[in-house]
Amino acid sequence: DEPVEGSVEITEEHYQELLVGQSAGLLIAESQKGYPILAIYEPSIEEIRAQKLNELSLYDSSEEVNQFCIDNTHGWWNKATRVGLMNSIAIERASGRSETNIWLGDTLFVLPVGKAIDMLQQLELYALTCFDTTQRHTKAIQQLETKDEIETYDFRTSYPGKLSFSG
């Protein structure tokens, strides 16, 4: 092989060390003297910020936030389900029904209409507070100025306690 202009010659042993290091997750970088060396990858502040925002998004959509219980049965209803239930129960109430059937996972709960509406209103307020909390954390993370501040920021704070209802 012909040497490439500006390249440096290294031993086969050093070449193998570089490959082993690269396989272990290290980067092959250039020393100040132009020789290939192994280096630890240092993510940029924007990469660290993106990772923290991704972690926040995962937390926001997890059971740590999106969960409530009725008589020790745990689950979650997304916004469309909550709105649909509220509309259906309002129709039941308008037609004179006093009870409604609500499913949480595979468990049926027969509830008084007023209690079901109250429960859905509390859930909607809980979801709204969680959304607001997530948005505040997002803004805070976007405004942090150092890698260390971003890495140590704890977004698991300020969320409301999970709701628990009796059937």
Side-chain angles (χ1 to χ4, degrees):
D1 291 336
E2 292 295 318
V4 176
E5 187 177 323
S7 65
V8 294
E9 190 171 333
I10 60 172
T11 65
E12 181 65 27
E13 181 182 342
H14 186 61
Y15 175 72
Q16 291 304 320
E17 288 174 4
L18 292 171
L19 292 180
V20 168
Q22 187 178 41
S23 295
L26 297 174
L27 295 177
I28 298 175
E30 187 176 320
S31 73
Q32 292 179 349
K33 295 183 178 180
Y35 287 93
I37 59 169
L38 291 171
I40 297 173
Y41 177 71
E42 288 290 330
S44 71
I45 190 169
E46 288 311 316
E47 289 171 319
I48 293 171
R49 189 183 321 277
Q51 175 64 33
K52 184 63 81 168
L53 289 170
N54 185 56
E55 291 170 12
L56 170 60
S57 177
L58 291 172
Y59 182 77
D60 176 61
S61 62
S62 75
E63 290 180 354
E64 294 297 319
V65 174
N66 295 326
Q67 188 179 71
F68 69 98
C69 74
I70 304 173
D71 292 340
N72 293 317
T73 299
H74 299 271
W76 184 249
W77 295 318
N78 64 26
K79 178 122 180 130
T81 300
R82 293 190 309 270
V83 169
L85 282 170
M86 187 62 92
N87 288 338
S88 296
I89 295 169
I91 291 168
E92 288 178 310
R93 175 186 255 174
S95 62
R97 290 190 183 170
S98 61
E99 291 184 330
T100 187
N101 294 337
I102 291 185
W103 289 88
L104 184 57
D106 60 359
T107 303
L108 170 65
F109 294 93
V110 180
L111 301 173
V113 167
K115 184 174 187 172
I117 289 173
D118 179 61
M119 182 176 65
L120 286 165
Q121 288 173 338
Q122 287 183 57
L123 275 172
E124 195 59 35
L125 291 172
Y126 170 86
L128 184 61
T129 302
C130 289
F131 175 79
D132 181 64
T133 301
T134 298
Q135 292 305 109
R136 289 176 188 275
H137 284 307
T138 298
K139 183 176 181 178
I141 292 167
Q142 290 170 339
Q143 292 178 338
L144 295 173
E145 296 179 357
T146 69
K147 291 180 182 182
D148 187 55
E149 286 176 323
I150 296 168
E151 290 171 338
T152 59
Y153 184 84
D154 184 7
F155 53 75
R156 290 170 181 83
T157 63
S158 304
Y159 283 91
K162 292 180 186 180
L163 298 177
S164 181
F165 303 97
S166 59

